Amino acid sequence: MKITSARLIVCSPDRNFVTLRIDTDEGIYGLGDGTLNGRELAVAAYLQDHVLDCLIGRDPRNTEDIWQYLYRGAYWRRGPVTMSAIAAVDVALWDIKAKALNTPLYNLLGGKSREGVLVYTHANGATVEQAVESVHQHMEEGYLAVRAQCSVPGLAGGYGVPKGSKPYEPAERGLPSEGLWSSERYLNTVPELFEKIRLSAGADVHLLHDVHHRLTPIEAARLGKSLEPYHLFWMEDPCPAELQEGFELIRRHTVTPIATGEVFNSVWDAHDLIRNQWIDYIRTTVVHGGGITALRKLADFSALYHVRTGFHGATDLSPVTMAAALHLGLAIHNLGIQEHMPHSALTDEVFPHHYTFQAGYMHPGEAPGLGVEIDEALAAQYPYQRAYLPIARKLDGTLTDW
Ligand code: CS2
Ligand code: MG
């Protein structure tokens, strides 16, 4: 089998996506996701200008060799743009390989380790009360795990809280918006949020929270301790993780489980976090972590240290990535949980897929390959529109992590 062509489909049904299609001489094609929120065209250019021509004539089943060719052959290693581009190729090749063997992708990754993948979704609100109500809504939809976020009093919006009635979509068209942030007010708000949720929703629902990189390690330690009575499933991205050893300080003070890694793109970003058990869940996902080939290795390395997976699954990862994450999540032994931020109806129309949600779990489906398609005619009706993630500043104007 040989690769005969590779081309990009960049579209924006409600938000931007970069999709790669690779065709072969046996009439089988595969899809990969190269979406990097706010920097989509950087990945598209990396693929179009530096990668796609190098694929022609190669055997698509040689996923390991092609991954090493793209990783080591570039000389310049790692980074979100490079690894998203490698991921787009890698996932398309795995899609082809599974289709050629007429089997769902999970069968090439170890087969089923479970009947379904536990997922969590997002509850949020402008107030604590609205967030509590949102948790109940999602529990009624059948979710067994819910992430809860709310605005900080006196600070409009903020990470995780939608503006108006539309579902939360952090990327905004036009130039970056700026908002204010106060860790002090946040630290006084979140314990009350989870006290109220636990009182109202009971002890069984898994509760998660995303700090979104906004605290220092000692502040995160304080937050983790304050949340212990509400036994969260995890506290996510407590602080920026460039300094991996900063997590040791958090670990020393709290037993609230810690998840991080959605902005990582290599096992080396988490090497110390994992081997020192400074975290409990690794969030790096297929599209930004270098694809199925890389994520399989990351999951297996994590398993040695009792670290489970919690793949990132926001709307800025396309249905192609959601499908790939579910195939991987069904197969690996150390699955923790999968994020499920449902895409819009329009996005689902552009990307018809076989994955399903039922009673708190998702399944990738039994179609050969990934089980995802792209309606290119419909996608063409929604061309790319530049969009950015917001910027945050502290009350004194200092730029901080959004
Ligand atoms: C968030 C993401 O889902 C999450 O855990 O951290 O929504 C994140 O803000 C976006 O993926 C950024 O593009
Ligand atoms: Mg997050």
Side-chain angles (χ1 to χ4, degrees):
M1 183 186 282
K2 295 282 181 243
I3 294 172
T4 52
S5 67
R7 60 190 171 82
L8 292 170
I9 302 139
V10 181
C11 63
S12 192
D14 293 328
R15 56 145 300 104
N16 294 317
F17 294 109
V18 175
T19 305
L20 172 64
R21 171 172 167 151
I22 296 179
D23 282 84
T24 68
D25 58 358
E26 295 189 11
I28 297 173
Y29 67 90
L31 295 179
D33 179 21
T35 305
L36 182 62
N37 206 359
R39 296 297 184 273
E40 295 88 355
L41 294 189
V43 179
Y46 189 104
L47 285 163
Q48 190 62 57
D49 298 341
H50 305 294
V51 170
L52 301 189
D53 289 349
C54 302
L55 301 176
I56 309 306
R58 293 183 185 278
D59 184 332
R61 295 167 296 189
N62 296 339
T63 44
E64 185 66 30
D65 180 62
I66 292 173
W67 195 93
Q68 298 294 343
Y69 175 89
L70 296 176
Y71 181 78
R72 298 172 188 272
Y75 185 74
W76 313 104
R77 294 187 184 188
R78 299 165 60 184
V81 173
T82 297
M83 300 313 287
S84 298
I86 292 176
V89 174
D90 185 70
V91 171
L93 299 183
W94 279 102
D95 192 16
I96 290 167
K97 181 150 49 180
K99 282 178 177 175
L101 295 169
N102 194 31
T103 188
L105 175 56
Y106 66 78
N107 276 332
L108 305 191
L109 304 174
K112 283 183 184 176
S113 293
R114 52 193 61 81
E115 288 310 309
V117 176
L118 176 68
V119 295
Y120 75 91
T121 195
H122 291 191
N124 41 51
T127 65
V128 167
E129 290 66 30
Q130 286 178 15
V132 173
E133 177 51 37
S134 180
V135 168
H136 279 287
Q137 286 166 5
H138 291 301
M139 290 171 69
E140 283 152 26
E141 291 166 4
Y143 286 95
L144 303 173
V146 184
R147 188 193 85 167
Q149 311 286 140
C150 74
S151 290
V152 174
L155 299 179
Y159 166 69
V161 182
K163 290 174 181 169
S165 57
K166 288 189 73 174
Y168 181 58
E169 175 53 71
E172 297 166 323
R173 288 166 177 167
L175 295 178
S177 65
E178 296 203 3
L180 289 177
W181 170 250
S182 162
S183 294
E184 294 74 14
R185 296 187 196 177
Y186 167 78
L187 286 165
N188 291 334
T189 303
V190 176
E192 179 200 354
L193 169 66
F194 285 94
E195 179 188 21
K196 295 263 174 72
I197 294 172
R198 267 297 173 226
L199 274 174
S200 174
D204 294 339
V205 60
H206 296 305
L207 297 177
L208 304 90
H209 181 66
D210 193 347
V211 185
H212 218 254
H213 326 273
R214 295 176 292 187
L215 298 179
T216 63
I218 199 65
E219 290 170 340
R222 170 185 159 189
L223 179 62
K225 283 183 74 152
S226 70
L227 294 176
E228 287 177 2
Y230 316 116
H231 54 87
L232 266 60
F233 188 93
W234 79 34
M235 170 173 73
E236 176 185 342
D237 284 335
C239 60
E242 287 92 333
L243 180 69
Q244 295 185 44
E245 67 199 56
F247 281 63
E248 190 279 328
L249 190 154
I250 306 169
R251 211 49 159 189
R252 209 182 310 151
H253 292 280
T254 181
V255 296
T256 294
I258 296 173
T260 199
E262 70 179 52
V263 297
F264 295 173
N265 47 77
S266 162
V267 63
W268 301 107
D269 294 327
H271 183 233
D272 294 340
L273 292 169
I274 293 168
R275 69 190 181 88
N276 292 300
Q277 299 179 53
W278 289 337
I279 60 172
D280 302 276
Y281 299 92
I282 183 69
R283 297 252 309 135
T284 310
T285 195
V286 172
V287 59
H288 302 137
I292 294 278
T293 298
L295 262 288
R296 178 73 229 221
K297 294 171 181 176
L298 174 61
D300 290 346
F301 174 65
S302 300
L304 300 178
Y305 298 93
H306 300 294
V307 174
R308 288 177 282 177
T309 64
F311 300 141
H312 186 201
T315 44
D316 47 287
L317 290 58
S318 98
V320 172
T321 288
M322 176 52 77
L326 289 171
H327 282 282
L328 199 51
L330 200 68
I332 57 176
H333 181 258
N334 60 320
L335 167 80
I337 198 166
Q338 169 64 45
E339 181 174 9
H340 180 223
M341 195 178 166
H343 290 102
S344 69
L346 178 57
T347 295
D348 286 346
E349 217 183 318
V350 171
F351 292 93
H353 52 264
H354 287 260
Y355 56 78
T356 53
F357 169 84
Q358 188 181 357
Y361 293 82
M362 288 184 77
H363 193 286
E366 299 298 336
L370 282 170
V372 182
E373 295 300 333
I374 183 167
D375 180 333
E376 294 194 45
L378 185 58
Q381 295 177 33
Y382 302 94
Y384 168 83
Q385 295 187 58
R386 190 171 70 180
Y388 288 92
L389 288 168
I391 302 287
R393 290 186 181 275
K394 294 182 181 177
L395 301 183
D396 68 358
T398 306
L399 196 112
T400 188
D401 294 288
W402 165 68

PDB file of all heavy atoms in Angstrom, residues 37 120 122 147 159 168 170 210 212-213 236-237 262 283 312-314 316-317 339 341 389 402, ligand 1:
ATOM      1  N   ASN A  37      -5.714  25.536  18.912  1.00  0.00           N
ATOM      2  CA  ASN A  37      -6.605  26.669  19.140  1.00  0.00           C
ATOM      3  C   ASN A  37      -5.857  27.999  19.163  1.00  0.00           C
ATOM      4  O   ASN A  37      -4.958  28.203  19.970  1.00  0.00           O
ATOM      5  CB  ASN A  37      -7.331  26.481  20.479  1.00  0.00           C
ATOM      6  CG  ASN A  37      -8.660  27.219  20.505  1.00  0.00           C
ATOM      7  OD1 ASN A  37      -9.030  27.869  19.546  1.00  0.00           O
ATOM      8  ND2 ASN A  37      -9.364  27.091  21.612  1.00  0.00           N
ATOM      9  N   TYR A 120     -16.408  12.972  31.518  1.00  0.00           N
ATOM     10  CA  TYR A 120     -16.942  14.093  32.314  1.00  0.00           C
ATOM     11  C   TYR A 120     -17.260  15.246  31.383  1.00  0.00           C
ATOM     12  O   TYR A 120     -16.654  15.380  30.312  1.00  0.00           O
ATOM     13  CB  TYR A 120     -15.979  14.527  33.417  1.00  0.00           C
ATOM     14  CG  TYR A 120     -14.763  15.327  32.969  1.00  0.00           C
ATOM     15  CD1 TYR A 120     -14.787  16.713  32.903  1.00  0.00           C
ATOM     16  CD2 TYR A 120     -13.594  14.677  32.608  1.00  0.00           C
ATOM     17  CE1 TYR A 120     -13.681  17.448  32.501  1.00  0.00           C
ATOM     18  CE2 TYR A 120     -12.479  15.396  32.203  1.00  0.00           C
ATOM     19  CZ  TYR A 120     -12.524  16.780  32.152  1.00  0.00           C
ATOM     20  OH  TYR A 120     -11.414  17.492  31.752  1.00  0.00           O
ATOM     21  N   HIS A 122     -18.761  19.644  31.249  1.00  0.00           N
ATOM     22  CA  HIS A 122     -18.543  20.943  31.905  1.00  0.00           C
ATOM     23  C   HIS A 122     -19.836  21.535  32.426  1.00  0.00           C
ATOM     24  O   HIS A 122     -20.781  21.745  31.669  1.00  0.00           O
ATOM     25  CB  HIS A 122     -17.957  21.942  30.896  1.00  0.00           C
ATOM     26  CG  HIS A 122     -16.562  21.637  30.487  1.00  0.00           C
ATOM     27  ND1 HIS A 122     -15.795  22.527  29.767  1.00  0.00           N
ATOM     28  CD2 HIS A 122     -15.774  20.546  30.641  1.00  0.00           C
ATOM     29  CE1 HIS A 122     -14.607  22.002  29.525  1.00  0.00           C
ATOM     30  NE2 HIS A 122     -14.567  20.789  30.041  1.00  0.00           N
ATOM     31  N   ARG A 147     -17.374  18.551  35.668  1.00  0.00           N
ATOM     32  CA  ARG A 147     -16.440  19.601  36.058  1.00  0.00           C
ATOM     33  C   ARG A 147     -17.238  20.846  36.350  1.00  0.00           C
ATOM     34  O   ARG A 147     -18.175  21.173  35.602  1.00  0.00           O
ATOM     35  CB  ARG A 147     -15.459  19.865  34.901  1.00  0.00           C
ATOM     36  CG  ARG A 147     -14.321  20.785  35.243  1.00  0.00           C
ATOM     37  CD  ARG A 147     -13.578  21.265  34.020  1.00  0.00           C
ATOM     38  NE  ARG A 147     -14.224  22.436  33.435  1.00  0.00           N
ATOM     39  CZ  ARG A 147     -13.647  23.204  32.521  1.00  0.00           C
ATOM     40  NH1 ARG A 147     -12.449  22.878  32.059  1.00  0.00           N
ATOM     41  NH2 ARG A 147     -14.273  24.273  32.041  1.00  0.00           N
ATOM     42  N   TYR A 159     -12.255  32.341  32.931  1.00  0.00           N
ATOM     43  CA  TYR A 159     -12.140  31.052  32.260  1.00  0.00           C
ATOM     44  C   TYR A 159     -13.310  30.126  32.616  1.00  0.00           C
ATOM     45  O   TYR A 159     -13.701  30.031  33.777  1.00  0.00           O
ATOM     46  CB  TYR A 159     -10.827  30.339  32.631  1.00  0.00           C
ATOM     47  CG  TYR A 159     -10.937  28.923  32.184  1.00  0.00           C
ATOM     48  CD1 TYR A 159     -10.946  28.633  30.829  1.00  0.00           C
ATOM     49  CD2 TYR A 159     -11.231  27.909  33.096  1.00  0.00           C
ATOM     50  CE1 TYR A 159     -11.169  27.349  30.389  1.00  0.00           C
ATOM     51  CE2 TYR A 159     -11.458  26.619  32.663  1.00  0.00           C
ATOM     52  CZ  TYR A 159     -11.436  26.344  31.306  1.00  0.00           C
ATOM     53  OH  TYR A 159     -11.678  25.081  30.860  1.00  0.00           O
ATOM     54  N   TYR A 168     -20.114  27.365  26.057  1.00  0.00           N
ATOM     55  CA  TYR A 168     -18.801  27.968  26.252  1.00  0.00           C
ATOM     56  C   TYR A 168     -17.851  27.619  25.114  1.00  0.00           C
ATOM     57  O   TYR A 168     -17.668  26.458  24.785  1.00  0.00           O
ATOM     58  CB  TYR A 168     -18.205  27.466  27.568  1.00  0.00           C
ATOM     59  CG  TYR A 168     -16.861  28.049  27.874  1.00  0.00           C
ATOM     60  CD1 TYR A 168     -16.681  29.429  27.985  1.00  0.00           C
ATOM     61  CD2 TYR A 168     -15.756  27.233  28.040  1.00  0.00           C
ATOM     62  CE1 TYR A 168     -15.446  29.983  28.263  1.00  0.00           C
ATOM     63  CE2 TYR A 168     -14.510  27.771  28.326  1.00  0.00           C
ATOM     64  CZ  TYR A 168     -14.359  29.142  28.428  1.00  0.00           C
ATOM     65  OH  TYR A 168     -13.132  29.672  28.703  1.00  0.00           O
ATOM     66  N   PRO A 170     -14.047  29.122  24.198  1.00  0.00           N
ATOM     67  CA  PRO A 170     -13.077  30.139  24.620  1.00  0.00           C
ATOM     68  C   PRO A 170     -12.480  30.957  23.475  1.00  0.00           C
ATOM     69  O   PRO A 170     -12.158  32.124  23.648  1.00  0.00           O
ATOM     70  CB  PRO A 170     -11.995  29.322  25.323  1.00  0.00           C
ATOM     71  CG  PRO A 170     -12.168  27.926  24.871  1.00  0.00           C
ATOM     72  CD  PRO A 170     -13.608  27.760  24.555  1.00  0.00           C
ATOM     73  N   ASP A 210     -11.055  22.881  37.145  1.00  0.00           N
ATOM     74  CA  ASP A 210      -9.907  23.287  36.348  1.00  0.00           C
ATOM     75  C   ASP A 210      -9.385  24.633  36.842  1.00  0.00           C
ATOM     76  O   ASP A 210     -10.058  25.657  36.693  1.00  0.00           O
ATOM     77  CB  ASP A 210     -10.328  23.404  34.867  1.00  0.00           C
ATOM     78  CG  ASP A 210      -9.129  23.509  33.940  1.00  0.00           C
ATOM     79  OD1 ASP A 210      -8.005  23.738  34.430  1.00  0.00           O
ATOM     80  OD2 ASP A 210      -9.323  23.334  32.722  1.00  0.00           O
ATOM     81  N   HIS A 212      -6.735  25.974  35.736  1.00  0.00           N
ATOM     82  CA  HIS A 212      -6.305  26.571  34.452  1.00  0.00           C
ATOM     83  C   HIS A 212      -5.002  27.354  34.586  1.00  0.00           C
ATOM     84  O   HIS A 212      -4.874  28.474  34.072  1.00  0.00           O
ATOM     85  CB  HIS A 212      -7.429  27.466  33.900  1.00  0.00           C
ATOM     86  CG  HIS A 212      -7.539  27.373  32.408  1.00  0.00           C
ATOM     87  ND1 HIS A 212      -7.118  28.368  31.559  1.00  0.00           N
ATOM     88  CD2 HIS A 212      -8.038  26.401  31.620  1.00  0.00           C
ATOM     89  CE1 HIS A 212      -7.360  28.024  30.309  1.00  0.00           C
ATOM     90  NE2 HIS A 212      -7.902  26.826  30.316  1.00  0.00           N
ATOM     91  N   HIS A 213      -4.055  26.794  35.339  1.00  0.00           N
ATOM     92  CA  HIS A 213      -2.668  27.293  35.421  1.00  0.00           C
ATOM     93  C   HIS A 213      -2.537  28.612  36.194  1.00  0.00           C
ATOM     94  O   HIS A 213      -1.529  29.308  36.072  1.00  0.00           O
ATOM     95  CB  HIS A 213      -2.075  27.534  34.021  1.00  0.00           C
ATOM     96  CG  HIS A 213      -2.515  26.607  32.934  1.00  0.00           C
ATOM     97  ND1 HIS A 213      -1.895  25.402  32.673  1.00  0.00           N
ATOM     98  CD2 HIS A 213      -3.536  26.701  32.041  1.00  0.00           C
ATOM     99  CE1 HIS A 213      -2.501  24.816  31.647  1.00  0.00           C
ATOM    100  NE2 HIS A 213      -3.501  25.562  31.244  1.00  0.00           N
ATOM    101  N   GLU A 236      -7.366  20.371  38.363  1.00  0.00           N
ATOM    102  CA  GLU A 236      -6.616  20.358  37.101  1.00  0.00           C
ATOM    103  C   GLU A 236      -5.771  21.614  36.912  1.00  0.00           C
ATOM    104  O   GLU A 236      -6.195  22.710  37.251  1.00  0.00           O
ATOM    105  CB  GLU A 236      -7.611  20.248  35.940  1.00  0.00           C
ATOM    106  CG  GLU A 236      -6.995  20.313  34.569  1.00  0.00           C
ATOM    107  CD  GLU A 236      -8.041  20.320  33.482  1.00  0.00           C
ATOM    108  OE1 GLU A 236      -9.191  19.937  33.750  1.00  0.00           O
ATOM    109  OE2 GLU A 236      -7.713  20.740  32.366  1.00  0.00           O
ATOM    110  N   ASP A 237      -4.585  21.398  36.315  1.00  0.00           N
ATOM    111  CA  ASP A 237      -3.691  22.520  36.005  1.00  0.00           C
ATOM    112  C   ASP A 237      -3.617  23.511  37.162  1.00  0.00           C
ATOM    113  O   ASP A 237      -3.916  24.699  36.991  1.00  0.00           O
ATOM    114  CB  ASP A 237      -4.147  23.200  34.718  1.00  0.00           C
ATOM    115  CG  ASP A 237      -3.781  22.381  33.486  1.00  0.00           C
ATOM    116  OD1 ASP A 237      -2.815  21.602  33.565  1.00  0.00           O
ATOM    117  OD2 ASP A 237      -4.477  22.501  32.452  1.00  0.00           O
ATOM    118  N   GLU A 262      -2.623  19.187  29.452  1.00  0.00           N
ATOM    119  CA  GLU A 262      -3.295  19.450  28.169  1.00  0.00           C
ATOM    120  C   GLU A 262      -2.473  20.372  27.283  1.00  0.00           C
ATOM    121  O   GLU A 262      -2.624  20.344  26.064  1.00  0.00           O
ATOM    122  CB  GLU A 262      -4.684  20.040  28.380  1.00  0.00           C
ATOM    123  CG  GLU A 262      -4.708  21.441  28.909  1.00  0.00           C
ATOM    124  CD  GLU A 262      -6.118  21.959  29.071  1.00  0.00           C
ATOM    125  OE1 GLU A 262      -6.940  21.289  29.707  1.00  0.00           O
ATOM    126  OE2 GLU A 262      -6.407  23.054  28.552  1.00  0.00           O
ATOM    127  N   ARG A 283      -3.025  14.667  31.140  1.00  0.00           N
ATOM    128  CA  ARG A 283      -4.097  15.179  30.270  1.00  0.00           C
ATOM    129  C   ARG A 283      -3.691  15.311  28.815  1.00  0.00           C
ATOM    130  O   ARG A 283      -4.535  15.593  27.963  1.00  0.00           O
ATOM    131  CB  ARG A 283      -4.533  16.548  30.788  1.00  0.00           C
ATOM    132  CG  ARG A 283      -5.125  16.531  32.156  1.00  0.00           C
ATOM    133  CD  ARG A 283      -6.610  16.768  32.219  1.00  0.00           C
ATOM    134  NE  ARG A 283      -7.080  17.922  31.508  1.00  0.00           N
ATOM    135  CZ  ARG A 283      -8.158  17.894  30.721  1.00  0.00           C
ATOM    136  NH1 ARG A 283      -8.787  16.762  30.524  1.00  0.00           N
ATOM    137  NH2 ARG A 283      -8.581  18.981  30.111  1.00  0.00           N
ATOM    138  N   HIS A 312      -7.442  15.426  27.424  1.00  0.00           N
ATOM    139  CA  HIS A 312      -8.114  16.688  27.092  1.00  0.00           C
ATOM    140  C   HIS A 312      -9.148  16.405  26.002  1.00  0.00           C
ATOM    141  O   HIS A 312      -8.897  15.609  25.082  1.00  0.00           O
ATOM    142  CB  HIS A 312      -7.038  17.640  26.583  1.00  0.00           C
ATOM    143  CG  HIS A 312      -7.472  19.028  26.307  1.00  0.00           C
ATOM    144  ND1 HIS A 312      -6.752  19.846  25.462  1.00  0.00           N
ATOM    145  CD2 HIS A 312      -8.511  19.767  26.749  1.00  0.00           C
ATOM    146  CE1 HIS A 312      -7.333  21.022  25.401  1.00  0.00           C
ATOM    147  NE2 HIS A 312      -8.390  21.013  26.189  1.00  0.00           N
ATOM    148  N   GLY A 313     -10.330  17.029  26.120  1.00  0.00           N
ATOM    149  CA  GLY A 313     -11.393  16.766  25.134  1.00  0.00           C
ATOM    150  C   GLY A 313     -12.303  17.955  24.959  1.00  0.00           C
ATOM    151  O   GLY A 313     -13.520  17.827  24.957  1.00  0.00           O
ATOM    152  N   ALA A 314     -11.706  19.146  24.805  1.00  0.00           N
ATOM    153  CA  ALA A 314     -12.499  20.376  24.633  1.00  0.00           C
ATOM    154  C   ALA A 314     -12.980  20.499  23.198  1.00  0.00           C
ATOM    155  O   ALA A 314     -12.562  19.736  22.309  1.00  0.00           O
ATOM    156  CB  ALA A 314     -11.632  21.576  25.019  1.00  0.00           C
ATOM    157  N   ASP A 316     -12.165  22.514  21.055  1.00  0.00           N
ATOM    158  CA  ASP A 316     -11.140  22.894  20.083  1.00  0.00           C
ATOM    159  C   ASP A 316     -10.270  21.714  19.672  1.00  0.00           C
ATOM    160  O   ASP A 316      -9.254  21.890  19.007  1.00  0.00           O
ATOM    161  CB  ASP A 316     -10.274  24.049  20.605  1.00  0.00           C
ATOM    162  CG  ASP A 316      -9.803  23.854  22.031  1.00  0.00           C
ATOM    163  OD1 ASP A 316     -10.626  23.987  22.938  1.00  0.00           O
ATOM    164  OD2 ASP A 316      -8.611  23.575  22.224  1.00  0.00           O
ATOM    165  N   LEU A 317     -10.690  20.515  20.053  1.00  0.00           N
ATOM    166  CA  LEU A 317     -10.108  19.292  19.520  1.00  0.00           C
ATOM    167  C   LEU A 317     -11.223  18.700  18.665  1.00  0.00           C
ATOM    168  O   LEU A 317     -12.345  18.533  19.155  1.00  0.00           O
ATOM    169  CB  LEU A 317      -9.719  18.331  20.640  1.00  0.00           C
ATOM    170  CG  LEU A 317      -8.535  18.705  21.535  1.00  0.00           C
ATOM    171  CD1 LEU A 317      -8.679  20.020  22.240  1.00  0.00           C
ATOM    172  CD2 LEU A 317      -8.301  17.627  22.588  1.00  0.00           C
ATOM    173  N   GLU A 339     -12.421  13.666  28.891  1.00  0.00           N
ATOM    174  CA  GLU A 339     -13.192  14.914  28.862  1.00  0.00           C
ATOM    175  C   GLU A 339     -14.139  14.887  27.676  1.00  0.00           C
ATOM    176  O   GLU A 339     -13.756  14.476  26.573  1.00  0.00           O
ATOM    177  CB  GLU A 339     -12.252  16.115  28.754  1.00  0.00           C
ATOM    178  CG  GLU A 339     -12.976  17.445  28.732  1.00  0.00           C
ATOM    179  CD  GLU A 339     -12.029  18.630  28.766  1.00  0.00           C
ATOM    180  OE1 GLU A 339     -10.813  18.421  28.641  1.00  0.00           O
ATOM    181  OE2 GLU A 339     -12.491  19.768  28.929  1.00  0.00           O
ATOM    182  N   MET A 341     -16.532  17.619  26.073  1.00  0.00           N
ATOM    183  CA  MET A 341     -17.184  18.928  25.889  1.00  0.00           C
ATOM    184  C   MET A 341     -17.853  18.817  24.530  1.00  0.00           C
ATOM    185  O   MET A 341     -17.189  18.918  23.492  1.00  0.00           O
ATOM    186  CB  MET A 341     -16.101  20.023  25.915  1.00  0.00           C
ATOM    187  CG  MET A 341     -16.557  21.418  26.086  1.00  0.00           C
ATOM    188  SD  MET A 341     -15.060  22.464  26.139  1.00  0.00           S
ATOM    189  CE  MET A 341     -15.812  24.084  25.906  1.00  0.00           C
ATOM    190  N   LEU A 389      -7.536  32.901  21.816  1.00  0.00           N
ATOM    191  CA  LEU A 389      -7.913  32.677  23.211  1.00  0.00           C
ATOM    192  C   LEU A 389      -7.732  33.997  23.964  1.00  0.00           C
ATOM    193  O   LEU A 389      -6.931  34.844  23.576  1.00  0.00           O
ATOM    194  CB  LEU A 389      -7.038  31.583  23.823  1.00  0.00           C
ATOM    195  CG  LEU A 389      -7.351  30.177  23.305  1.00  0.00           C
ATOM    196  CD1 LEU A 389      -6.283  29.187  23.722  1.00  0.00           C
ATOM    197  CD2 LEU A 389      -8.725  29.735  23.758  1.00  0.00           C
ATOM    198  N   TRP A 402      -4.277  32.948  31.620  1.00  0.00           N
ATOM    199  CA  TRP A 402      -5.750  32.918  31.423  1.00  0.00           C
ATOM    200  C   TRP A 402      -6.338  31.593  31.843  1.00  0.00           C
ATOM    201  O   TRP A 402      -5.746  30.546  31.593  1.00  0.00           O
ATOM    202  CB  TRP A 402      -6.077  33.159  29.947  1.00  0.00           C
ATOM    203  CG  TRP A 402      -7.498  32.796  29.631  1.00  0.00           C
ATOM    204  CD1 TRP A 402      -8.639  33.424  30.049  1.00  0.00           C
ATOM    205  CD2 TRP A 402      -7.918  31.653  28.860  1.00  0.00           C
ATOM    206  NE1 TRP A 402      -9.719  32.776  29.564  1.00  0.00           N
ATOM    207  CE2 TRP A 402      -9.343  31.693  28.837  1.00  0.00           C
ATOM    208  CE3 TRP A 402      -7.265  30.621  28.201  1.00  0.00           C
ATOM    209  CZ2 TRP A 402     -10.099  30.731  28.165  1.00  0.00           C
ATOM    210  CZ3 TRP A 402      -8.014  29.670  27.529  1.00  0.00           C
ATOM    211  CH2 TRP A 402      -9.404  29.748  27.503  1.00  0.00           C
TER     212      TRP A 402
HETATM  213  C1  CS2 B   1      -9.736  23.580  29.209  1.00  0.00           C
HETATM  214  C2  CS2 B   1      -9.769  23.845  27.751  1.00  0.00           C
HETATM  215  O1  CS2 B   1     -11.115  21.727  28.724  1.00  0.00           O
HETATM  216  C3  CS2 B   1     -10.231  22.173  29.480  1.00  0.00           C
HETATM  217  O2  CS2 B   1      -9.738  21.554  30.435  1.00  0.00           O
HETATM  218  O3  CS2 B   1      -8.492  23.785  29.819  1.00  0.00           O
HETATM  219  O4  CS2 B   1     -11.057  24.187  27.401  1.00  0.00           O
HETATM  220  C4  CS2 B   1      -8.828  24.934  27.275  1.00  0.00           C
HETATM  221  O5  CS2 B   1      -9.179  26.156  27.877  1.00  0.00           O
HETATM  222  C5  CS2 B   1      -8.951  25.034  25.758  1.00  0.00           C
HETATM  223  O6  CS2 B   1      -8.759  23.759  25.210  1.00  0.00           O
HETATM  224  C6  CS2 B   1      -7.938  26.003  25.194  1.00  0.00           C
HETATM  225  O7  CS2 B   1      -7.989  25.963  23.792  1.00  0.00           O
END
